[in-house]
């Protein structure tokens, strides 16, 4: 079993839709949580950190449920430019990023 | 400012040859990381440098893989006697420190194809 699991998708949604991704992690010692975005044939870029209290950045909302060991990302009012692969990332030690395989999002006109 | 740069961007080699991949981190970043992204796989951690030292080499898949960092800056990942299963995108990242909230910034990667 992978340490970080994600539904690979693709999620195919129309512009303006709301879409949510979940991610589960197996190691309860995981300390920090992030969502990265990766465009096709590009490097991953940090989208947002995920805090226990939940956090929001514009159209993006991230939630962490430590008891159930899952992380979510909600995207409201989807734009064409949101089409990408979204990588769930956890940190166990202070520096080693553990990546999920990613969830692919396609936003259609 | 300049981001993480990697070279070459693409490398095609024959099975059994050695390859060297280079990473230039963001200026002032003390920590440097190598990851590998294979088709259908997530990114996997290979090795981490703090300055010129590599406290964690746990992700290197075999003894054919080695890495060094000189002057606290440029790093080279060397793969000896390449195999077809080494084909992947090799990504380098750097961060200012190694705290859990020190963001790792990734370079564009080197796409390695072993024929």
């Amino acid at each position: 079993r992978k340490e970080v699991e994600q539904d690979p998708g693709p999620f195919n949604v129309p512009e303006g839709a709301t879409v949510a991704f979940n991610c589960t992690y197996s190691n309860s010692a995981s300390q920090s949580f992030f969502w990265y975005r990766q465009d096709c044939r590009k490097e991953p870029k940090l989208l947002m950190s995920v805090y226990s209290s939940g956090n929001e950045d514009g159209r993006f909302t991230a939630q962490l449920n430590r008891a159930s060991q899952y992380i979510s990302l909600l995207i409201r009012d989807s734009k064409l430019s949101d089409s990408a692969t979204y990588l769930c990332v956890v940190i166990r030690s202070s520096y080693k990023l553990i990546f999920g395989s990613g969830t692919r999002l396609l936003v259609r006109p | 400012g300049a981001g993480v740069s990697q070279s070459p961007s693409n490398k095609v080699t024959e099975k059994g040859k050695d390859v060297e991949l280079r990473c230039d981190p963001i200026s002032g970043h003390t920590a440097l990381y190598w990851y590998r992204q294979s088709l259908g796989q997530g990114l996997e951690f290979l090795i981490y440098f703090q300055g010129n030292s590599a406290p964690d080499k746990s992700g290197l898949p075999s003894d054919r893989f080695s890495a060094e960092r000189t002057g606290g800056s440029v790093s080279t990942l060397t793969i000896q006697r390449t195999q077809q299963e080494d084909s992947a995108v090799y990504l380098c990242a750097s961060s200012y420190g190694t705290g859990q909230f020190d963001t790792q910034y990734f370079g564009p990667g080197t796409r390695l194809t072993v024929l």
Side-chain angles (χ1 to χ4, degrees), chain B residues 2-14:
Chain B
V4 178
S5 61
Q6 293 185 245
S7 61
S9 54
N10 281 283
K11 176 71 177 179
V12 180
T13 191
E14 294 179 347

Side-chain angles (χ1 to χ4, degrees), chain A residues 4-36:
Chain A
V4 180
E5 301 240 31
Q6 295 182 250
D7 181 342
F11 286 66
N12 191 324
V13 303
E15 263 188 297
T18 296
V19 62
F21 311 134
N22 287 333
C23 160
T24 57
Y25 60 96
S26 60
N27 194 321
S28 60
S30 298
Q31 298 173 332
S32 306
F33 309 88
F34 307 90
W35 284 101
Y36 273 70

